[in-house]
Amino acid sequence: MRALLLGFCALISLTAPATAFDTNARAAWVYDVETGTVLMEKNANEALPPASMSKLMTIYMLFEALEEGRVQMDTRLPVSTKARQMQGSTMFLNENDRPTVEELIKGMIVLSGNDACVVVAEGLAGTEEAFARQMTERAKAIGLTHSHFVNASGWPAPGHEMSAHDLGVLAQHLITDFPEYYKFFALEEFPYDNRAPANRNNRNPLLRLGIGADGLKTGHTEEAGFGLVGSAAQGGRRVIFVVSGLPDDRSRAEESERIVNWAFRQFTMRTVVPKGDIVAEAPVWLGNRSKVGLTTVDGVKVLIPAGAQSGMTAEAVFNGPIEAPIKAGTRVGDLVINIPGTGESRMPLITATDIETAGIFGRLQSAAVRIGRKAIDAAGG
């Protein structure tokens, strides 16, 4: 059953199409966290070499180990010869070191330490190979559909790949699942033991711009090009974005800043259904009331593209009539919203009140009414 909510649709009346964003990145994904809206995507489900951006999965696994109590921030892990021999960006660890988990987190995020990733992998799973298999399994469990890991660092290897969509979903998990640890992504520098003064600064080009950026991870290899998984918060909104395959670090910085500005300037967030408001009524079968109000869990906020055309529609979609007894908060359908330039969004519809089963006379009356309606329908009335 579909109920068109004309009053709801009339809340917004805008007049021109939204401005599209054209990116030079090989793959991109831009997402508004508050409303769950994908603002832009380009080759977002193509599995590509992720370079150091795949360190986010290693960090996620370490955060889970912290949450589960398998390690603590002051836990010290050994450094193997394999870790010490890692090339590329490192913390310059050696076999005599016993870095703490907190130092390793900072080393992976700020210094992009390949050696730190191997230390974490071996510390949690015994070998990097076993850890990579665990990464792949865990990635599938949290909804990453185009990801496969061969190592913990993102060092180039056949079959080590992630999609832009998966990187963005992983970023959202890091932000929402581990808010107490997410703060590490905003660190601008980490002078570990002052071993490499030239490698003490976070490579994220947005952190120092004052645009609300607070994460997450850059990546670069010859095969993958330059990429960034980023997030920024402004005015009660948070945007997550992924770009990859850019030709140099300057274009990565410029493209990332353009995306952040576009995402916050080209869309306006509106509360169109306050929490608790009734958006539709559904007929009730065999209840002590004939209808039950339908509402949303937390209200409805939508993103309106700048200059979007008029014509936003909203429908309450549910199977009715709903048979009593009914408990308040029961999901019975969806609120389906279509906004020109953004597409379709679905929010759960729940019952607003309890409805009890009618007494014997009420049930007989309801049955008689329903039988009568079926007879009229069968007769073509």
Side-chain angles (χ1 to χ4, degrees):
M1 181 176 292
R2 290 176 175 264
L4 183 62
L5 310 179
L6 297 177
F8 174 85
C9 302
L11 290 174
I12 305 293
S13 180
L14 302 169
T15 55
T19 302
F21 186 91
D22 185 22
T23 180
N24 294 321
R26 176 177 175 179
W29 192 74
V30 186
Y31 181 76
D32 182 84
V33 175
E34 181 74 12
T35 61
T37 305
V38 177
L39 305 181
M40 185 269 285
E41 54 186 344
K42 177 183 179 182
N43 300 325
N45 289 313
E46 182 180 356
L48 297 169
S52 285
M53 294 183 292
S54 70
K55 286 182 172 73
L56 292 176
M57 192 67 210
T58 300
I59 295 166
Y60 183 90
M61 300 283 282
L62 183 53
F63 285 175
E64 279 199 327
L66 281 164
E67 287 288 287
E68 294 167 2
R70 290 185 281 132
V71 294
Q72 287 74 44
M73 282 293 182
D74 60 357
T75 299
R76 293 186 178 274
L77 298 178
V79 178
S80 67
T81 300
K82 177 180 180 180
R84 190 257 301 165
Q85 291 176 340
M86 288 300 295
Q87 302 177 41
S89 301
T90 72
M91 291 176 65
F92 293 92
L93 297 170
N94 61 62
E95 290 91 337
N96 295 322
D97 291 320
R98 294 296 182 270
T100 66
V101 165
E102 183 171 354
E103 289 170 336
L104 291 165
I105 291 170
K106 295 175 181 178
M108 289 187 291
I109 292 173
V110 181
L111 309 181
S112 198
N114 294 324
D115 51 357
C117 292
V118 175
V119 171
V120 169
E122 293 176 341
L124 293 181
T127 67
E128 186 177 14
E129 293 74 20
F131 186 75
R133 290 192 294 271
Q134 292 177 10
M135 291 170 70
T136 300
E137 293 170 2
R138 190 69 185 115
K140 291 179 181 177
I142 63 173
L144 310 191
T145 55
H146 296 87
S147 295
H148 183 267
F149 303 94
V150 177
N151 57 57
S153 65
W155 191 257
H160 189 96
E161 54 192 19
M162 297 184 74
S163 67
H165 169 269
D166 283 4
L167 282 163
V169 171
L170 177 56
Q172 184 180 10
H173 275 290
L174 285 163
I175 293 167
T176 58
D177 295 353
F178 307 108
E180 69 274 37
Y181 305 141
Y182 180 67
K183 63 184 180 181
F184 287 111
F185 287 100
L187 289 176
E188 295 185 15
E189 63 176 352
F190 175 50
Y192 176 69
D193 199 28
N194 205 34
R195 295 189 184 186
N199 188 39
R200 65 187 291 167
N201 296 317
N202 195 319
R203 293 166 173 78
N204 188 335
L206 303 185
L207 294 181
R208 300 167 182 84
L209 299 183
I211 58 175
D214 54 12
L216 286 109
K217 190 73 190 70
T218 59
H220 167 244
T221 62
E222 184 174 348
E223 182 182 15
F226 288 78
L228 174 64
V229 181
S231 184
Q234 294 182 22
R237 286 179 57 199
R238 175 174 290 280
V239 169
I240 294 170
F241 70 92
V242 181
V243 290
S244 66
L246 289 159
D248 50 52
D249 56 355
R250 180 175 179 176
S251 60
R252 173 176 64 190
E254 292 175 350
E255 196 76 345
S256 298
E257 187 176 6
R258 276 207 316 134
I259 284 175
V260 170
N261 286 327
W262 170 80
F264 286 118
R265 305 295 169 261
Q266 283 295 314
F267 296 87
T268 301
M269 187 167 65
R270 301 277 184 88
T271 298
V272 292
V273 177
K275 183 176 180 178
D277 275 19
I278 303 298
V279 298
E281 290 186 319
V284 173
W285 167 242
L286 299 179
N288 62 349
R289 295 188 214 169
S290 62
K291 294 180 180 180
V292 62
L294 304 182
T295 186
T296 57
V297 177
D298 293 311
V300 177
K301 295 179 180 179
V302 297
L303 282 184
I304 308 298
Q309 293 179 344
S310 59
M312 185 180 79
T313 62
E315 290 181 305
V317 181
F318 54 89
N319 291 322
I322 303 169
E323 185 173 353
I326 302 168
K327 289 290 185 183
T330 302
R331 181 173 181 174
V332 295
D334 293 301
L335 180 64
V336 182
I337 302 171
N338 276 283
I339 303 173
T342 299
E344 180 182 283
S345 297
R346 285 179 173 262
M347 292 84 172
L349 276 179
I350 60 174
T351 51
T353 58
D354 293 337
I355 302 291
E356 297 178 1
T357 304
I360 182 63
F361 293 110
R363 293 199 299 273
L364 289 172
Q365 184 179 24
S366 295
V369 170
R370 191 166 190 179
I371 291 170
R373 286 177 178 169
K374 286 185 176 181
I376 293 173
D377 292 340

